[in-house]
């Protein structure tokens, strides 16, 4: 079996929602102390709905694929729903990640939570 699913490879090669939102009202940044990878998430939230979300990930392929998939999963969704998104759900949506790469998907979950915490703290 291939190490990475086709979905992982697709999101790694053609990541969705890469970039910066200049007028974001929610910004989160997290890092993995072990590998040194960093993920930054920007959101534009209106009426508790995530109207737009973009990310910048300085990290491994699995982290890039995870952030890409995570942004797809929360775009257009209510804040309360995005708050519930787990790294497991992100990995499942990617048709799985190798066990030793699961921590990369944790970065995506944490980046979303960090951005949503920032949103709450601005209110
Ligand atoms: Fe660092 Fe994947 S190895 S996030």
């Amino acid at each position: 079996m291939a190490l990475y699913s086709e979905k992982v490879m697709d999101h790694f090669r053609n990541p969705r929602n890469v970039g910066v939102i200049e007028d974001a009202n929610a910004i989160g940044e997290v890092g993995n102390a072990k590998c040194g990878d960093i993920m930054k998430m920007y959101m534009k939230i209106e009426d508790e709905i995530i109207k737009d979300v973009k990310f910048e990930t300085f990290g491994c392929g699995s982290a890039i694929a995870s952030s890409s998939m995570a942004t797809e999963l929360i775009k257009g969704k209510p804040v309360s729903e995005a708050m519930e998104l787990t790294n497991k759900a992100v990995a499942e949506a990617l048709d799985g990640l190798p066990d030793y790469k699961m921590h990369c998907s944790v970065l995506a979950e944490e980046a979303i939570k960090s951005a949503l915490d920032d949103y709450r703290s601005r209110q």
Side-chain angles (χ1 to χ4, degrees):
M1 202 192 95
L3 191 54
Y4 293 110
S5 72
E6 275 182 31
K7 270 196 194 165
V8 172
M9 292 312 294
D10 176 33
H11 279 263
F12 167 57
R13 291 200 180 107
N14 311 295
R16 317 324 187 242
N17 309 310
V18 174
V20 175
I21 299 176
E22 295 296 345
D23 60 343
N25 57 355
I27 300 174
E29 184 172 336
V30 291
N32 181 315
K34 274 193 196 143
C35 62
D37 291 349
I38 295 168
M39 195 180 288
K40 198 161 178 183
M41 196 78 69
Y42 304 83
M43 297 179 194
K44 182 75 191 169
I45 302 174
E46 279 167 30
D47 298 329
E48 289 295 300
I49 302 288
I50 300 170
K51 295 278 184 197
D52 199 10
V53 50
K54 291 201 187 301
F55 76 90
E56 293 176 308
T57 291
F58 306 96
C60 74
S62 298
I64 291 168
S66 295
S67 19
S68 169
M69 179 55 89
T71 55
E72 288 283 273
L73 290 172
I74 62 167
K75 204 172 187 175
K77 297 274 165 59
V79 167
S80 57
E81 215 173 292
M83 209 60 195
E84 305 280 299
L85 185 73
T86 62
N87 76 298
K88 215 167 150 257
V90 173
E92 271 167 21
L94 287 167
D95 289 338
L97 282 170
D99 279 352
Y100 67 97
K101 282 286 176 182
M102 278 305 278
H103 71 271
C104 315
S105 62
V106 172
L107 221 48
E109 177 187 327
E110 288 178 352
I112 289 170
K113 296 216 158 93
S114 159
L116 294 176
D117 283 347
D118 176 49
Y119 170 67
R120 290 273 176 251
S121 72
R122 293 179 193 218
Q123 287 176 322

